[in-house]
Amino acid sequence: MSSHNMIEIRGLDSHYKGRQVLFNIGFAIPHKKVTVIMGRSGCGKTTLLRHLIGLKPSESGRVFVEGQDMGSFDEKGMANYRRRIGVLFQSGALFNSLTVSQNIAVPLKVHTRLSDETIRIMSLIKLHLVGLADFLDYMPSQLSGGMRKRAGLARALAMDPEILFVDEPSSGLDPITAAGLDDLILELRETLGMTIIVVTHELESAVKIADQMVVMDRGNLLAVGTPDEIRSSQDETVLRFLRREAEEQQVNTESYLSRLLGRQYKAGENSTRRQGGVR
Amino acid sequence: MPLRFYQTEPHQALVKLEGNFDSDTAPEIRKSLIKIVKNKGSESLKIDFSEVPNLGTAGVAVLVEVLRAMTRKGGALELVGLNDNARQMIRLARLGEIFQT
Ligand SMILES: Nc1ncnc2c1ncn2[C@@H]1O[C@H](COP(=O)(O)OP(=O)(O)OP(=O)(O)O)[C@@H](O)[C@H]1O
Ligand SMILES: [Mg+2]
C-alpha cells in the first residue's frame, strides 16, 4: 500500500442531536487507490462520507487532507477542497427541473468561465462515459433509478475531480450495468490516478475494485485491510458480516416488545410465550 | 497560459501550448484557437502539447470544437507531443480514434 495518504481520519466521533453515531473512527485513505467502505445499513457509512466531504463539521484534529486539518479550513480552503472532489450522493440528488445534461453542467457553470458550447461537449463526454449519451435531454423523472445514479456519477465527474466519493453507486443497477460501473471506477483509478472512496453493499464488487476495504459496525471501525486480509480475518463479527449472517437482536427485540406492551419488558418475563416460540 | 502561434508554411499553422489545458485555462485558449482557425492561412493546424503537463476534459472539449471548425473548412487538425496523461484523457473521452492517439 502506498505510504502517501490523501485523507487521514483520527479518532473521529460524530453525533446527530446528541446521539453518537460514529465512535473513534481512524484510518487512512491512500492516494490514487480505491477504498471501499462496507457495513450494515445504519452503521454510519454515509455519515462518515459527510465528514470527509466537509458537509458535516469535524472537530479539529480529526480529518486531514494531505496532512492539513480540515477543521482548520477557512471558507476559501473549504471551497478549494470542494473543487477537488466529486460526490455521488446515495440519493443521486439530481435537480428535477433540469435536464440530464443541464444537471451535469451545473458544477461547470458555477465553478468555471467555460463557454456554453465547451460545457455542452464536456457534459456529453461524461454522459457517454456512464452510458447515457442518448439521454442528455431527458428529465430526471424520465430516467430509471439506475440511470439517475449514473447521471449523478457523470455530474460527480464533471470537474475532473482528484478525489471521488460515491455512495452506493450500484444500488438499483442490474448486474451487467453494475459490473460496467466497477470497470469505470477501475479505469478512473488506472488512467487518471483518481483517489476513489466507494460505499457499497455488494461484496463481490467490493472485492473486485478495492485496494483497501473498511468494514464498519454500529458506528465503529471493525476492520481495515486489503480484500484478502479482510476475507482471511479471524474476527467473528467480520466473518459474520462476510457470511451475511443475521445477528441476534436480543436488545432490539426487548425494545420492540417494550414499545408494544407500553412498559419495560424484561427477557423471560412471560415464559409461556417464550415457550410458544417467540424467539 | 502562453500560447505561441507560428505560420510554418503558407497553409500550415503550428500552435505550441505551454502550461495546463484545463477548465481554468480553456476559455482563453479556446478564444485564441478559434481566431487561428478562422485565419485564412490555417488550412492545417498542428497543436504541440509537449509543454502541457495536464490536459483536462475542458481542454478535450475545446479540441473537439477546434476539430469541428477545421473539418468544416476542409482542413485538418493534428495533435503532437501528447504525454501519457493527455493521451489517457482523450481515450477516456472515447476520442482516441478521432484524434489518432
Ligand atoms: N440527518 C440525520 N439526522 C439524524 N440522524 C441521522 C441523520 N442521518 C443519519 N442519521 C443516523 O445516523 C446513523 C448512521 O446513518 P448513516 O446514514 O450514516 O448510515 P449508513 O451506514 O449510510 O446506512 P445505509 O447503508 O442504510 O445507507 C443512523 O442511526 C441514522 O439514524
Ligand atoms: Mg448510507
Side-chain angles (χ1 to χ4, degrees):
Chain A
M1 194 144 298
S2 155
S3 60
H4 188 155
N5 292 324
M6 188 57 122
I7 299 177
E8 271 182 63
I9 303 132
R10 297 183 200 154
L12 176 69
D13 293 338
S14 185
H15 302 81
Y16 286 108
K17 296 212 182 83
R19 185 165 74 96
Q20 188 163 0
V21 296
L22 293 182
F23 301 84
N24 193 29
I25 301 291
F27 64 94
I29 294 173
H31 207 233
K32 300 179 187 234
K33 303 274 184 209
V34 176
T35 296
V36 171
I37 303 175
M38 301 194 77
R40 292 166 50 205
S41 179
C43 73
K45 305 178 295 295
T46 298
T47 303
L48 175 59
L49 281 198
R50 289 168 58 84
H51 282 280
L52 302 186
I53 63 185
L55 267 187
K56 197 165 164 57
S58 312
E59 220 180 290
S60 198
R62 303 306 180 201
V63 179
F64 297 81
V65 180
E66 289 181 322
Q68 296 221 299
D69 186 349
M70 199 191 275
S72 71
F73 282 6
D74 56 11
E75 220 170 279
K76 198 161 162 247
M78 193 49 91
N80 280 341
Y81 177 58
R82 291 239 169 88
R83 274 195 69 154
R84 298 173 59 196
I85 69 176
V87 184
L88 169 60
F89 291 99
Q90 189 166 6
S91 58
L94 298 173
F95 299 106
N96 287 320
S97 58
L98 302 180
T99 66
V100 169
S101 70
Q102 286 167 342
N103 261 285
I104 318 299
V106 168
L108 298 166
K109 291 212 157 125
V110 171
H111 294 292
T112 73
R113 297 166 295 112
L114 294 163
S115 74
D116 288 350
E117 183 56 14
T118 308
I119 288 178
R120 199 190 70 83
I121 296 170
M122 290 174 75
S123 307
L124 194 50
I125 289 173
K126 301 299 176 172
L127 282 170
H128 182 61
L129 205 54
V130 299
L132 288 180
D134 292 335
F135 297 89
L136 76 169
D137 292 325
Y138 279 54
M139 301 304 288
S141 61
Q142 297 171 302
L143 300 180
S144 71
M147 287 159 97
R148 272 199 288 273
K149 274 262 140 133
R150 284 185 282 153
L153 180 60
R155 189 177 61 191
L157 293 171
M159 293 282 292
D160 296 342
E162 279 173 68
I163 316 173
L164 177 69
F165 295 91
V166 285
D167 200 346
E168 294 190 28
S170 51
S171 69
L173 296 188
D174 65 275
I176 294 171
T177 314
L181 209 61
D182 287 344
D183 292 339
L184 176 58
I185 285 171
L186 290 174
E187 185 182 4
L188 292 169
R189 181 199 62 185
E190 230 57 69
T191 64
L192 304 187
M194 219 178 259
T195 301
I196 305 176
I197 297 93
V198 184
V199 171
T200 185
H201 286 289
E202 309 296 326
L203 187 60
E204 201 187 323
S205 150
V207 167
K208 178 173 159 195
I209 63 177
D211 296 300
Q212 166 173 273
M213 272 172 79
V214 175
V215 185
M216 291 172 62
D217 181 51
R218 283 168 282 189
N220 293 283
L221 190 75
L222 203 55
V224 182
T226 63
D228 282 344
E229 284 165 355
I230 297 289
R231 278 191 297 192
S232 57
S233 165
Q234 300 298 309
D235 185 291
E236 248 324 294
T237 321
V238 174
L239 291 175
R240 260 206 308 270
F241 174 77
L242 295 180
R243 290 197 301 257
R244 296 274 188 243
E245 278 176 19
E247 285 181 40
E248 283 189 55
Q249 299 205 340
Q250 170 80 36
V251 179
N252 291 355
T253 308
E254 279 185 25
S255 103
Y256 167 63
L257 290 177
S258 300
R259 276 177 209 284
L260 282 181
L261 300 174
R263 63 191 159 86
Q264 195 57 46
Y265 171 87
K266 293 191 194 64
E269 190 179 319
N270 186 341
S271 49
T272 24
R273 199 181 284 182
R274 283 170 64 86
Q275 281 160 8
V278 169
R279 285 196 67 220
Chain B
M1 119 146 209
L3 174 151
R4 293 206 205 132
F5 172 59
Y6 310 89
Q7 191 81 44
T8 43
E9 280 164 51
H11 302 290
Q12 167 95 51
L14 172 68
V15 169
K16 190 167 169 63
L17 300 176
E18 288 169 8
N20 289 337
F21 191 0
D22 55 22
S23 56
D24 288 330
T25 57
E28 265 117 280
I29 298 177
R30 175 177 187 266
K31 263 187 226 151
S32 312
L33 287 177
I34 286 178
K35 226 180 270 167
I36 291 167
V37 169
K38 285 195 177 141
N39 184 337
K40 278 205 184 78
S42 334
E43 254 147 50
S44 95
L45 174 62
K46 194 185 274 190
I47 305 179
D48 182 350
F49 278 82
S50 53
E51 302 293 327
V52 178
N54 185 44
L55 172 67
T57 305
V60 177
V62 168
L63 291 177
V64 171
E65 291 182 76
V66 171
L67 175 68
R68 224 162 39 192
M70 287 304 292
T71 323
R72 210 175 289 144
K73 62 184 251 182
L77 172 68
E78 191 187 351
L79 312 181
V80 296
L82 294 161
N83 66 12
D84 276 352
N85 151 269
R87 234 174 266 283
Q88 302 278 26
M89 282 308 289
I90 290 171
R91 285 189 198 148
L92 191 70
R94 315 297 184 226
L95 295 171
E97 262 174 54
I98 285 181
F99 288 113
Q100 272 135 42
T101 60

